Amino acid sequence: MVGVEAASRDPGARAARTDAPVLATVTFTVNGERRTLELDTRTSLLDAAREHLHLTGSKKGCDHGQCGACTMIVDGRRINACLTLAIMHQGAEIVTVEGLGQPDHLHPMQAAFVKHDGYQCGYCTPGQICSGVAVLEEIRAGIPSHVTADLGAPPQVTETEIRERMSGNLCRCGAYSNIVEAITEVAGSRA
Ligand code: FES
Ligand code: FES
């Protein structure tokens, strides 16, 4: 109590106490590797990956959930990593574009993007690829979308379904047609 009163009389001490970041420890698996970080509790999952794990494949386009450039796959579901705090994912399995494939061993979705020129500047591409992988899993799992006509039947991999499900991933270069071609090819090869 005495300490609180002293701090309230000393603005400097009060500011220092208030400004100190609150740290927390979080452990999760990133691209198959168990990682433990001590983070400011306000750190987004995107910043944790980019700035603390140096996994810069996931991009920061808007930092508020508008563009999809930061898309990662967390426990099998795609999310905007800029909109979620890293410490909320204790024990999670996180996959970024770096975990899908490597330059000498591309994931089929990465290879299809190359084959179909599914990018121009490439800034949105890691998010597009993570989203594309997750979209096919969502369709395979029978999860309907806004454009699924028959909710009683399994959704099909149609261009309309792909465009709707990928609508959260923006591309300033307008590579949309080629992105759809790439995802369609991967869907066909897995059918
Ligand atoms: S950076 Fe996350 S949605 Fe744009
Ligand atoms: S390839 Fe440039 S923003 Fe999509």
Side-chain angles (χ1 to χ4, degrees):
M1 190 63 187
V2 172
V4 171
E5 289 172 354
S8 67
R9 286 195 301 271
D10 181 348
R14 191 169 60 233
R17 192 182 59 185
T18 307
D19 290 348
V22 177
L23 302 179
T25 300
V26 62
T27 299
F28 37 46
T29 301
V30 183
N31 300 332
E33 194 176 335
R34 192 170 165 85
R35 308 299 297 261
T36 297
L37 296 171
E38 186 175 31
L39 297 170
D40 183 327
T41 53
R42 299 165 294 182
T43 306
S44 70
L45 181 60
L46 178 62
D47 285 343
R50 288 182 57 84
E51 297 178 16
H52 296 265
L53 299 177
H54 308 297
L55 293 169
T56 54
S58 307
K59 298 294 185 278
K60 183 179 286 188
C62 65
D63 210 21
H64 59 272
Q66 299 289 302
C67 72
C70 63
T71 304
M72 297 179 189
I73 302 170
V74 177
D75 291 333
R77 298 183 64 181
R78 57 192 169 135
I79 64 171
N80 288 335
C82 70
L83 285 186
T84 187
L85 297 175
I87 60 167
M88 294 169 62
H89 298 287
Q90 173 68 29
E93 296 274 346
I94 298 164
V95 177
T96 69
V97 72
E98 292 95 336
L100 291 176
Q102 295 297 318
D104 58 351
H105 187 64
L106 295 178
H107 184 281
M109 190 65 75
Q110 292 170 317
F113 269 64
V114 172
K115 177 181 174 183
H116 291 276
D117 286 333
Y119 52 85
Q120 289 181 41
C121 77
Y123 197 81
C124 72
T125 310
Q128 300 277 5
I129 288 174
C130 285
S131 224
V133 169
V135 157
L136 295 186
E137 291 301 323
E138 289 163 14
I139 294 174
R140 173 183 277 187
I143 299 171
S145 79
H146 181 65
V147 298
T148 304
D150 183 357
L151 297 180
Q156 303 299 307
V157 183
T158 63
E159 179 174 339
T160 305
E161 282 282 0
I162 292 173
R163 285 185 180 274
E164 163 61 21
R165 292 171 190 263
M166 293 294 293
S167 61
N169 288 82
L170 305 184
C171 176
R172 290 172 299 178
C173 300
Y176 295 113
S177 296
N178 295 357
I179 291 170
V180 171
E181 283 181 17
I183 296 173
T184 301
E185 177 174 295
V186 177
S189 68
R190 287 178 32 175

